[in-house]
Structures are given as structure tokens and as C-alpha cells.
Amino acid sequence: MKITEHFEKSKGETLVSFEVLPPLKGGSMQTIFDTLDPLMEFKPPFIDVTYHREEFLYNKRESGYYEKVAIRKRPGTVGICASIMHRYGVDAIPHLICGGFSKEETENALIDLAFLGIDNVLALRGDARKFETKFIPHPEGNRFAVDLVNQTKDMNEGVYLDCNIENGAKTNFCIGVAGYPEKHFESPNLNLDMHYLKAKVDAGASYIVTQMFFDNQKYFDFVDACRAAGINVPIVPGIKPVTKKYQLNSIPRNFFINMPDDLVASVSKADTAEKIQQAGIEWCVHQSKELKKAGVPCLHYYTMGDTDIIKRIIQSV
Ligand code: FAD
């Protein structure tokens, strides 16, 4: 079922959903089940599974020289989606990125997803790889997320890259895209970022999932700015609790977002692991309650393996 249909069916009630990361290569599917099994009591209608492209690593050889190798540390997105749908009977949303894919490979990936009965994709550009200073698209691939939205939309209309295909089967994907309440880090300003977000929606995206944020006002202002720009699709807030002190620095560094003073103060003054977690949980509960009260379509939790913490948060919301 399409995500937008879940929102329509919920008749204004705030849903709960989760994002999981594939396990590191060599890990097992059981880690995903261990994360999700305890959360299924909250009846998430859908679960997102992230996609991770290959990374460059430098392995030291016997000769002393370093060998550059490309390795995908977290493969398995599509298999995990199929497995989630099979085990829990809920929709799974694979994240699909431009980086590392030619358009042909993207087309084939979308065909696999359609054949598996997957109705939703989150269309993303992806980031620069480690040791690259900027995102470099595949020479025959999509450059921006909007190009991926366009390609998916084409397939929804039965249009494939091979122009000899006549009456091609129409896929039926509901397409989601990313939005950044505190702007995407490469964008010169929020207005221009908003312009490109609107282009994704105009191209056919049916909903937006936000980057995590810790100040709800940033989300509310973002939604207002989207509506003023003529973006009228559902905007799902992405939420993550702070659970460790070092995250006060690592989250802003990795996700280009600000931490509110009060959150920083309460986590900083906590002097045990338990108190730090408690401060993070309290903040996240407060955020979740306020967002729910404001009538957001869904509270989308970035689980990152913190099952017990996410469970405690939702129980309090
Ligand atoms: P785009 O929408 O293409 O935007 C990228 C930048 O280019 C922005 O600054 C935008 O303003 C600008 N821009 C857009 N269109 C144009 C244009 N036509 N001309 C000029 N500039 C333009 N990454 C992964 O690798 N795997 C994942 O699973 C994953 N999941 C994510 C889930 C969510 C909810 C979010 C918020 C992010 C996720 N990411 C993931 C990270 C994402 O890939 C990065 O943030 C990436 O840098 C941007 O992706 P995007 O789809 O927003 O890109």
C-alpha cells in the first residue's frame, strides 16, 4: 500500500514508523528482527530501510603499499525490505540513491522492487564518499534526487530507458523525498533549498521525510515555508533521541543541524550513562508529544539500534 494511502486511512491520527540500517556485512538479519520485534506493538504501517553505497578503504599489503578497495559495508537493503514485509506484513520502504548507479542500474533496481510488490521508494541523491570532497554522480546516472524522481515517475507511466519497449508495464511507486528543516548543508540558503524541494514534489514526489531536528520550531517553520512555497504534500518529521554525550558534537557534525541550548545543558550536566539517556529520552518525549499535538501525519523514528529507548519514548507519548 502507498504511504499516502496510509496517511489517508489514518484520518488525521498520528502514525508511528521506523527507519533501520542494514547490518554491517557479516552480520545477520536477526539484528533487524531484534530491533523491530519489540517495536511492532506500536503497529507501524511502514518501515524504512536505508541504502549504503560502497566506500573506499585502504588495506595495507605485505609490501607495505596500500591498496585502495571499494567495499559496501551495509548491503542488503532490498532483501531486508522483502524480509520485513514477509515477517510483519507491513510496508517496507527501500531508500534508493543516485550515487553509484547508472540509470540502467536504477531501472533494474526499480524493476526488482516492483516485482517484489514494493509500492514505495524514498528517492535520494546520496552523499560524497569518504575521501571525496563532493558528490560525484555516476557518469551515466542521475545527478540530483529530482532526476531519480523523474526516472521513477517515467516507469510509473510505462516509460523505460529502452525506447523500443512499447506498452511497458507501469510500475506503481509512491515516491518520497528528503527535506531539511535546517537546510541541506550544500545549499547557499533555505530559499534555494526550498526551490529544489518543490522541484522534487512537482516532479512527482508524494511526501517528504525530514532530516532529524531537535527544535520543533524548526520543523513548524519549515512546514509553513513549504506551504507558502506551494508544497502541499505530507511532511513527516524524522526524530532521533540523543543517547550519548558525544552525540552533542557528532550529530551536528554529521547531519548539519543545531542542538537547542536546553537539550545541550541537560545532557551536559548528566554525569552517568543512565542520566544522559534519561535526558535524551525526556527531550524526545517532549518533542514527540508536541508534534503529535500539532497533528503531524507520522512520528518517524531513526532507531539506530536504540530499540529499548525508542520503545520507552513511544510508550510515554
Ligand atoms: P537533492 O534533493 O538532490 O539535493 C542535494 C543538494 O543539491 C541540495 O543542496 C539541493 O538544494 C541541491 N539541488 C537539488 N536539485 C538541484 C538542481 N537541480 N540544481 C542545483 N542544485 C540542486 N543517504 C544515503 O546514502 N542513504 C540513505 O538511505 C539515506 N537516507 C536518508 C533519509 C532521509 C530522511 C534524509 C533526510 C537523508 C538521507 N540520506 C541518505 C542522506 C542524503 O542522501 C543526503 O542528505 C544528500 O546529501 C542529499 O540527498 P537529497 O536527496 O536531499 O538530494
Side-chain angles (χ1 to χ4, degrees), residues 50-51 95 124-127 144-145 178 180 184 193 196 200 302:
T50 55
Y51 182 91
H95 292 190
L124 302 147
R125 187 196 70 178
D127 281 319
F144 294 107
Y180 302 83
H184 184 258
D193 210 21
Y196 290 124
K200 293 194 276 193
Y302 297 120

Side-chain angles (χ1 to χ4, degrees), residues 153-223:
K153 193 78 188 165
D154 279 350
M155 285 178 64
N156 279 350
E157 282 157 19
V159 177
Y160 290 73
L161 294 173
D162 179 353
C163 53
N164 295 314
I165 296 176
E166 286 175 18
N167 301 318
K170 293 181 182 179
T171 56
N172 191 27
F173 290 112
C174 174
I175 309 165
V177 290
Y180 302 83
E182 298 178 59
K183 103 172 174 63
H184 184 258
F185 71 101
E186 290 169 20
S187 190
N189 60 49
L190 199 52
N191 279 344
L192 194 59
D193 210 21
M194 187 64 65
H195 169 80
Y196 290 124
L197 178 59
K198 183 161 190 309
K200 293 194 276 193
V201 173
D202 289 346
S206 301
Y207 69 99
I208 295 165
V209 185
T210 74
Q211 181 58 280
M212 67 181 78
F213 55 88
F214 293 87
D215 176 355
N216 282 349
Q217 197 54 48
K218 296 259 169 35
Y219 168 84
F220 295 134
D221 291 346
F222 176 70
V223 173

Side-chain angles (χ1 to χ4, degrees), residues 23-306:
L24 286 167
K25 192 181 269 191
S28 99
M29 186 63 205
Q30 190 56 42
T31 58
I32 300 287
F33 295 149
D34 290 345
T35 301
L36 291 177
D37 282 357
L39 297 174
M40 295 316 287
E41 66 176 274
F42 302 112
K43 303 201 178 341
F46 60 91
I47 292 162
D48 276 59
V49 184
T50 55
Y51 182 91
H52 302 257
R53 70 179 292 196
E54 82 283 4
E55 289 175 34
F56 290 128
L57 299 176
Y58 288 88
N59 288 341
K60 197 170 184 184
R61 296 168 68 178
E62 272 181 25
S63 60
Y65 287 109
Y66 283 86
E67 180 188 31
K68 187 179 177 187
V69 287
I71 288 180
R72 276 193 71 201
K73 285 189 179 172
R74 292 182 187 271
T77 302
V78 177
I80 293 170
C81 284
S83 198
I84 285 174
M85 287 163 62
H86 178 68
R87 184 176 175 98
Y88 303 114
V90 301
D91 282 300
I93 308 181
H95 292 190
L96 195 58
I97 65 169
C98 304
F101 283 82
S102 67
K103 286 186 186 169
E104 171 78 15
E105 288 161 343
T106 299
E107 184 170 274
N108 294 338
L110 286 165
I111 289 171
D112 278 343
L113 298 179
F115 286 178
L116 278 168
I118 290 173
D119 298 326
N120 303 280
V121 285
L122 192 71
L124 302 147
R125 187 196 70 178
D127 281 319
R129 286 174 295 185
K130 220 175 175 180
F131 306 119
E132 283 177 348
T133 51
K134 59 173 188 183
F135 173 78
I136 303 167
H138 186 289
E140 284 152 28
N142 291 310
R143 185 161 179 216
F144 294 107
V146 67
D147 304 319
L148 182 51
V149 174
N150 276 316
Q151 185 175 3
T152 311
K153 193 78 188 165
D154 279 350
M155 285 178 64
N156 279 350
E157 282 157 19
V159 177
Y160 290 73
L161 294 173
D162 179 353
C163 53
N164 295 314
I165 296 176
E166 286 175 18
N167 301 318
K170 293 181 182 179
T171 56
N172 191 27
F173 290 112
C174 174
I175 309 165
V177 290
Y180 302 83
E182 298 178 59
K183 103 172 174 63
H184 184 258
F185 71 101
E186 290 169 20
S187 190
N189 60 49
L190 199 52
N191 279 344
L192 194 59
D193 210 21
M194 187 64 65
H195 169 80
Y196 290 124
L197 178 59
K198 183 161 190 309
K200 293 194 276 193
V201 173
D202 289 346
S206 301
Y207 69 99
I208 295 165
V209 185
T210 74
Q211 181 58 280
M212 67 181 78
F213 55 88
F214 293 87
D215 176 355
N216 282 349
Q217 197 54 48
K218 296 259 169 35
Y219 168 84
F220 295 134
D221 291 346
F222 176 70
V223 173
D224 286 348
C226 284
R227 302 306 180 225
I231 297 172
N232 293 313
V233 297
I235 302 175
V236 175
I239 312 164
K240 182 193 151 31
V242 171
T243 54
K244 314 249 175 1
K245 209 171 255 188
Y246 71 77
Q247 290 174 330
L248 292 181
N249 302 108
S250 64
I251 291 176
R253 189 172 59 238
N254 294 329
F255 299 101
F256 306 94
I257 56 172
N258 278 305
M259 292 279 186
D261 288 340
D262 289 350
L263 173 62
V264 175
S266 65
V267 173
S268 298
K269 81 167 186 238
D271 53 8
T272 63
E274 207 175 306
K275 285 184 193 162
I276 293 166
Q277 265 189 16
Q278 193 50 35
I281 289 174
E282 276 169 22
W283 189 270
C284 195
V285 168
H286 167 75
Q287 260 198 290
S288 303
K289 280 185 175 170
E290 194 178 47
L291 289 164
K292 191 175 169 188
K293 197 166 164 216
V296 299
C298 184
L299 296 168
H300 185 64
Y301 292 95
Y302 297 120
T303 61
M304 293 179 167
D306 289 329

